[in-house]
Amino acid sequence: MAEQGQTQDINQLLKVRREKLADLQANGKDPFQIMKYDVTCHSQDIKNDFEALEGQKVSVAGRIMQKRVMGKASFCNVQDLKGNIQVYVARDSIGEEPYKDFKKFDIGDIVGVKGEVFRTQKGEISIHADEITLLSKSLQILPEKYHGLTNTDLRYRQRYTDLIMNQDVKETFVKRSRIISEIRRYLDAQGFMEVETPMLVGNAGGAAARPFMTHYNALDEDIKLRISLELYLKRLIVGGLEKVYEIGRVFRNEGVDTRHNPEFTLMELYQAYTDYEGMMDLTERLYRHVAQMVLGTTKIVYNGIEMDLGKPFERITMVEAVKKYAGVDFEEIHTLEEARNVAKEHHVEYEERHKKGDILNLFFEEFVEEHLVQPTFLMDHPVEISPLTKRKPENPEYVERFEFFMNGWEMANAYSELNDPIDQRERFKAQEALLAQGDEEANTTDEDFMNALEIGMPPTGGIGFGIDRMVMLMTDSAAIRDVLLFPTMKSLPNEKG
């Protein structure tokens, strides 16, 4: 019964707001007819530059978050992009009729304020309003001030309300924008060229993932959403663009958890005439630059753990790491049978299709990954799990590949790119055999990409960065949904078409 009464109260409050709007419209004061409002300052700018702005006229706009009406003079708190500021509204300053209108304003209404900057007797920097204008009428009720918007599911579904009620959320997304800007600034200064490649593709390759499928009516063809940026960017290296990068959404038909969302932001770059060593150097400098410019320090604290980007990043091979953390030396394991036996001894589950290199990778995932907390380059993967990577000339069972780890997470994946078309075709054949055995994440042969390789691709280094995980670390955010403005959510019954 209490819940029913609360619903009735809310419905009554919503009804009152609509009645206020109808009254405004009937009296020629429809706020939705106002086309623009000139803003000269934001709240935090006024606080930062108070000494210069004290006594000066300013114009701000934002949402009313608090309101105290006290007879002939009132206070309200207006929130804008950069924060909030107190506004002193007196009847004698704005006029009797406008003051009557102001007293009817609701929490959540958007207003424009013109007035003089001053400091109250209690020391709070404020604006003494000469004029206050209703710019938009809020017909909904914001969450209660002291509890904010705490329902996690609702926060993600109604990000607009989350941004209004939780200042730290807004700061996270401002920081995300700055991180991406600094990545671009750094790469542009290094001579890289930003490009765009197709999202709708006939062959979704370049990663081990299951794609989303759709149908293109105009061509009557089944097509896929891209899972990677790799194969088109390599085509551009073939075409003579020596340094290219793209920041864009990719789509993988997989589950959702704290580090995975089916659509996410990936940055891939390719540089001709370098290798994976060059990519390590670039990664180290790029991460250090972004942290320093956005955070003002090269030390990141995530979930209470400090990670130092200022020190040289550790470099360790997968074989060395498995020996260090699992006590198993794969240099002493020469056959698939030996690899299977050691897997059974250590209770590492494998599938019949798995080869020796796959089992080495399973050991890494089981025993090593969680230990790679400080910035670490995990190098020299087995060829079985690296279909697009150059083999190590001195040991062709392994490839020139690294994954960059922080906090036990894979943050980037890089190769000395395979540019031998004969070897590449054999790798694709091996992938198609896996696909036939039921591996839905295996690649298929991309004949146009093969044609590009046969025309000739120079020695090339390439890397893919997970932008969302980078933002998570640099904003101390617990889940990927906290750094995606609109994460993927299961539709509610009333949202389904």
Side-chain angles (χ1 to χ4, degrees), residues 38-318:
D38 292 327
V39 175
T40 63
C41 286
H42 283 92
S43 56
Q44 193 59 44
D45 299 332
I46 293 170
K47 293 176 181 180
N48 291 343
D49 300 329
F50 175 71
E51 289 185 5
L53 290 173
E54 185 178 14
Q56 301 297 309
K57 299 287 187 180
V58 295
S59 173
V60 301
R63 191 180 300 274
I64 295 177
M65 299 302 291
Q66 297 176 39
K67 183 165 170 258
R68 289 180 289 135
V69 176
M70 303 178 296
K72 297 179 181 180
S74 303
F75 287 94
C76 67
N77 186 284
V78 174
Q79 177 175 293
D80 61 15
L81 172 67
K82 297 186 179 181
N84 59 78
I85 193 163
Q86 180 174 269
V87 178
Y88 174 66
V89 185
R91 184 192 66 183
D92 293 344
S93 297
I94 68 170
E96 190 167 341
E97 191 66 28
Y99 190 67
K100 284 182 182 178
D101 291 339
F102 166 76
K103 289 199 289 186
K104 295 178 182 178
F105 291 176
D106 290 305
I107 302 299
D109 286 353
I110 297 174
V111 297
V113 177
K114 294 180 180 177
E116 185 177 298
V117 176
F118 78 112
R119 192 189 293 272
T120 65
Q121 289 181 344
K122 292 184 178 180
E124 184 167 355
I125 295 171
S126 307
I127 299 172
H128 186 146
D130 299 328
E131 178 185 301
I132 186 162
T133 306
L134 183 63
L135 303 177
S136 182
K137 183 68 186 167
S138 176
L139 301 180
Q140 281 286 355
I141 298 169
L142 292 176
E144 196 269 330
K145 169 179 172 285
Y146 293 103
H147 296 98
L149 185 59
T150 56
N151 181 303
T152 303
D153 187 75
L154 189 61
R155 283 183 53 222
Y156 297 145
R157 291 183 187 280
Q158 296 185 10
R159 184 65 86 186
Y160 42 90
T161 310
D162 190 24
L163 290 166
I164 293 167
M165 299 307 300
N166 297 314
Q167 187 63 28
D168 58 336
V169 171
K170 185 184 291 184
E171 289 171 2
T172 291
F173 288 104
V174 169
K175 198 171 284 184
R176 178 189 174 104
S177 178
R178 289 190 60 205
I179 288 167
I180 294 173
S181 293
E182 287 300 334
I183 290 172
R184 285 193 166 102
R185 185 171 290 113
Y186 181 84
L187 292 176
D188 292 348
Q190 299 298 313
F192 281 86
M193 173 181 173
E194 185 173 10
V195 297
E196 294 176 305
T197 61
M199 291 189 183
L200 295 173
V201 295
N203 189 332
R210 186 168 61 175
F212 286 93
M213 310 284 290
T214 188
H215 186 77
Y216 186 16
N217 292 334
L219 297 181
D220 191 25
E221 285 185 358
D222 289 332
I223 55 176
K224 305 175 182 73
L225 287 170
R226 67 185 181 187
I227 61 173
S228 169
L229 313 174
E230 180 167 349
L231 299 186
Y232 279 98
L233 292 177
K234 285 183 176 178
R235 287 168 167 89
L236 300 180
I237 295 291
V238 170
L241 302 181
E242 294 183 0
K243 291 183 174 183
V244 295
Y245 75 95
E246 180 174 8
I247 299 174
R249 283 291 174 106
V250 296
F251 309 86
R252 298 183 182 179
N253 198 348
E254 59 189 15
V256 174
D257 61 28
T258 56
R259 283 184 280 162
H260 294 88
N261 193 72
E263 58 174 311
F264 61 97
T265 303
L266 185 64
M267 191 272 283
E268 290 197 32
L269 66 85
Y270 293 85
Q271 179 178 345
Y273 312 114
T274 191
D275 62 1
Y276 78 145
E277 296 275 359
M279 292 297 101
M280 286 187 224
D281 294 340
L282 184 147
T283 301
E284 195 162 336
R285 292 194 301 265
L286 175 61
Y287 257 78
R288 199 168 288 146
H289 168 85
V290 172
Q292 188 65 56
M293 297 304 294
V294 177
L295 307 178
T297 176
T298 57
K299 292 181 179 178
I300 294 174
V301 178
Y302 183 84
N303 197 26
I305 299 171
E306 183 177 281
M307 289 161 273
D308 192 351
L309 294 164
K311 297 177 181 177
F313 296 2
E314 182 182 1
R315 301 186 181 196
I316 186 171
T317 69
M318 184 178 283

Side-chain angles (χ1 to χ4, degrees), residues 216-489:
Y216 186 16
N217 292 334
L219 297 181
D220 191 25
E221 285 185 358
D222 289 332
I223 55 176
K224 305 175 182 73
L225 287 170
R226 67 185 181 187
I227 61 173
S228 169
L229 313 174
E230 180 167 349
L231 299 186
Y232 279 98
L233 292 177
K234 285 183 176 178
R235 287 168 167 89
L236 300 180
I237 295 291
V238 170
L241 302 181
E242 294 183 0
K243 291 183 174 183
V244 295
Y245 75 95
E246 180 174 8
I247 299 174
R249 283 291 174 106
V250 296
F251 309 86
R252 298 183 182 179
N253 198 348
E254 59 189 15
V256 174
D257 61 28
T258 56
R259 283 184 280 162
H260 294 88
N261 193 72
E263 58 174 311
F264 61 97
T265 303
L266 185 64
M267 191 272 283
E268 290 197 32
L269 66 85
Y270 293 85
Q271 179 178 345
Y273 312 114
T274 191
D275 62 1
Y276 78 145
E277 296 275 359
M279 292 297 101
M280 286 187 224
D281 294 340
L282 184 147
T283 301
E284 195 162 336
R285 292 194 301 265
L286 175 61
Y287 257 78
R288 199 168 288 146
H289 168 85
V290 172
Q292 188 65 56
M293 297 304 294
V294 177
L295 307 178
T297 176
T298 57
K299 292 181 179 178
I300 294 174
V301 178
Y302 183 84
N303 197 26
I305 299 171
E306 183 177 281
M307 289 161 273
D308 192 351
L309 294 164
K311 297 177 181 177
F313 296 2
E314 182 182 1
R315 301 186 181 196
I316 186 171
T317 69
M318 184 178 283
V319 170
E320 291 168 345
V322 168
K323 183 178 179 180
K324 178 178 179 179
Y325 292 105
V328 177
D329 187 356
F330 268 76
E331 286 188 353
E332 302 299 322
I333 296 172
H334 304 291
T335 67
L336 176 57
E337 184 180 0
E338 290 173 349
R340 287 176 172 175
N341 287 337
V342 77
K344 290 173 185 175
E345 290 171 11
H346 289 78
H347 307 290
V348 173
E349 295 184 7
Y350 62 87
E351 298 177 24
E352 191 64 29
R353 62 185 172 84
H354 284 149
K355 296 183 171 58
K356 174 189 164 187
D358 297 297
I359 294 173
L360 168 61
N361 187 54
L362 291 173
F363 266 85
F364 167 74
E365 292 175 350
E366 180 72 24
F367 295 105
V368 180
E369 206 164 349
E370 63 182 318
H371 296 288
L372 305 183
V373 175
Q374 294 301 317
T376 303
F377 293 122
L378 189 283
M379 304 159 50
D380 300 354
H381 296 53
V383 68
E384 290 90 342
I385 62 168
S386 311
L388 297 163
T389 317
K390 271 191 173 181
R391 297 175 191 261
K392 293 182 71 64
E394 71 280 9
N395 192 352
E397 288 187 14
Y398 298 92
V399 296
E400 292 196 345
R401 172 185 174 187
F402 74 81
E403 291 173 294
F404 173 48
F405 280 85
M406 288 181 68
N407 193 49
W409 302 350
E410 179 199 336
M411 306 298 294
N413 187 21
Y415 313 150
S416 294
E417 303 296 335
L418 180 58
N419 62 342
D420 178 347
I422 297 170
D423 190 356
Q424 182 64 79
R425 186 171 290 280
E426 291 303 313
R427 307 269 195 103
F428 275 142
K429 284 182 182 178
Q431 286 286 300
E432 289 184 339
L434 293 174
L435 190 67
Q437 294 172 35
D439 185 352
E440 294 180 328
E441 296 185 347
N443 285 200
T444 56
T445 304
D446 186 325
E447 288 296 345
D448 183 70
F449 175 66
M450 288 304 309
N451 184 62
L453 281 190
E454 288 172 2
I455 287 173
M457 186 173 83
T460 298
I463 190 166
F465 287 88
I467 297 295
D468 306 307
R469 290 186 187 178
M470 186 181 193
V471 176
M472 285 174 68
L473 281 187
M474 292 195 178
T475 59
D476 198 10
S477 297
I480 192 171
R481 289 181 173 188
D482 296 324
V483 299
L484 297 174
L485 279 166
F486 300 102
T488 302
M489 306 287 289

